[in-house]
Amino acid sequence: MKLLLTGGSGFIGRELLKHLTNYNIVLLTRSPEQARKNLHYADLGNISYINSLDEFDDLNDFDAVINLAGEPIADKRWSPKQKELICNSRWKTTEKIVDLIHASTTPPEVFISGSAVGYYGDQQHHSFDESLHVHNDGFPYTVCAKWEQIALRARSEQTRVCLLRTGLVLSPQGGALGKMLLPYKLGLGGSIGLGKQYMPWIHMLDMVRGIVYLLDTKHASGVFNFCAPHPVTNMHFSKMLAKTLHRPHILFTPKWALKLAMGESSVLLFDSIRAKPKKLTELGFTFSYSRLEPALKNLLQHHE
């Protein structure tokens, strides 16, 4: 089985590679040499590295494509230049993949492409699943909506398309949790604003297991919320994180301060998204960590 992977050297991709040992993988990366060094732990001689999709005229030789490429959305303020980089890093790579699939006489059987729960925008305390249709002018929605529209063009009788609307992926090795650990360990952790906003989260193990599940489940297609069945409020999350690390929970960061520091991108912290993974669970996927407390205990057992 041959698989094309973009974003394989990123936060999720690095962990996903450990679960794809039965595949021959072609990994798209800006720096093949650096990726080869960084991913040596996962390379069993089954990974080759390329820095451009221009090497291909079609994808006839591939059984599957997983597209996780994209500039991190939360690392910098959303200047016009940064917004353009965030959009183009997702849209252009996806467009190129879709063009190659269309050029194939025997295209890949499955195309799994990234997205995010930011698509939904602020839904306050309301619980919802993938059937919710939204339209707003927020930047996260704009990024995700077009990203998904491009990916869905690859659908045909020969190729099924799965879209990953990903929540907050929990791992001490990076992402939001990785950034939160130091202040919490120093006793400086606390809720964001009033802490009433819902946070859809997912353990990294379930994130990559879910991707592999969609890869192997021949009738899986469409949009999937990649988040645990029990989203929690920011207040609940921050208290549970402090408890797991045996640290106090007495501080909070006022909304105005984060808006000042982050600008428009502060919506990523304050939008309330109580998303449920209905389609994934109905498909038969079982979460290893459906509740936050055991998830954090597992992830942070060596940080206590």
Side-chain angles (χ1 to χ4, degrees):
M1 298 282 281
K2 192 171 181 181
L3 183 149
L4 173 64
L5 174 63
T6 75
S9 56
F11 177 49
I12 296 169
R14 293 194 302 269
E15 190 66 27
L16 178 62
L17 282 169
K18 299 177 186 177
H19 297 254
L20 295 175
T21 54
N22 292 331
Y23 286 85
N24 289 316
I25 299 167
V26 176
L27 191 150
L28 176 69
T29 175
R30 282 174 290 189
S31 177
E33 287 304 315
Q34 190 63 45
R36 187 175 284 106
K37 292 177 184 176
N38 293 342
L39 301 174
H40 64 89
Y41 62 89
D43 193 343
L44 304 176
N46 64 323
I47 304 176
S48 56
Y49 303 84
I50 60 171
N51 61 9
S52 174
L53 291 173
D54 292 336
E55 294 191 21
F56 303 115
D57 296 319
D58 55 57
L59 298 179
N60 285 330
D61 293 337
F62 290 91
D63 300 288
V65 180
I66 300 177
N67 175 33
L68 303 177
E71 173 76 8
I73 196 167
D75 282 6
K76 298 177 182 178
R77 286 178 70 97
W78 290 346
S79 65
K81 184 178 179 180
Q82 184 64 14
K83 281 185 173 182
E84 184 178 7
L85 183 59
I86 289 168
C87 291
N88 288 340
S89 64
R90 288 160 173 76
W91 299 347
K92 289 188 174 181
T93 300
T94 308
E95 281 178 340
K96 181 63 176 177
I97 292 170
V98 171
D99 288 344
L100 288 169
I101 290 174
H102 286 164
S104 306
T105 53
T106 55
E109 294 178 7
V110 57
F111 177 33
I112 297 176
S113 191
S115 186
V117 294
Y119 168 90
Y120 297 110
D122 186 11
Q123 298 297 324
Q124 300 179 23
H125 64 280
H126 302 292
S127 178
F128 61 89
D129 57 38
E130 294 90 346
S131 63
L132 179 67
H133 294 286
V134 301
H135 182 79
N136 61 65
D137 57 2
F139 181 63
Y141 170 83
T142 301
V143 174
C144 293
K146 185 170 179 179
W147 197 8
E148 293 181 5
Q149 288 167 8
I150 296 167
L152 287 172
R153 294 177 198 158
R155 278 190 303 192
S156 71
E157 291 184 359
Q158 295 169 288
T159 303
R160 59 187 173 90
V161 175
C162 299
L163 302 174
L164 314 176
R165 286 185 184 159
T166 303
L168 184 70
V169 182
L170 300 184
S171 168
Q173 272 72 55
L177 181 60
K179 294 175 182 176
M180 295 166 74
L181 286 179
L182 181 58
Y184 272 80
K185 285 179 181 179
L186 295 173
L188 302 175
S191 59
I192 297 172
L194 297 177
K196 294 181 178 180
Q197 65 274 30
Y198 274 86
M199 299 170 56
W201 62 273
I202 185 169
H203 190 295
M204 176 63 89
L205 177 62
D206 285 327
M207 181 72 214
V208 297
R209 284 183 58 245
I211 293 174
V212 174
Y213 192 82
L214 294 184
L215 200 60
D216 296 339
T217 305
K218 303 298 184 183
H219 58 283
S221 66
V223 174
F224 293 87
N225 287 339
F226 261 60
C227 44
H230 303 287
V232 298
T233 63
N234 174 261
M235 176 67 79
H236 181 99
F237 184 94
S238 58
K239 283 183 176 180
M240 190 58 64
L241 179 55
K243 177 184 175 183
T244 304
L245 292 170
H246 306 296
R247 294 295 187 272
H249 183 272
I250 53 177
L251 302 176
F252 78 99
T253 306
K255 189 172 184 177
W256 65 264
L258 284 166
K259 279 192 169 183
L260 188 64
M262 298 176 64
E264 186 185 352
S265 65
S266 64
V267 299
L268 297 172
L269 300 177
F270 292 109
D271 280 357
S272 183
I273 303 175
R274 197 177 181 181
K276 297 277 191 169
K278 182 180 179 182
K279 283 189 62 179
L280 200 53
T281 51
E282 286 183 345
L283 203 60
F285 180 76
T286 303
F287 284 81
S288 297
Y289 298 95
S290 61
R291 298 279 183 179
L292 181 64
E293 184 170 11
L296 288 176
K297 284 183 176 178
N298 170 262
L299 291 165
L300 303 176
Q301 56 188 327
H302 301 302
H303 290 263
E304 294 183 19

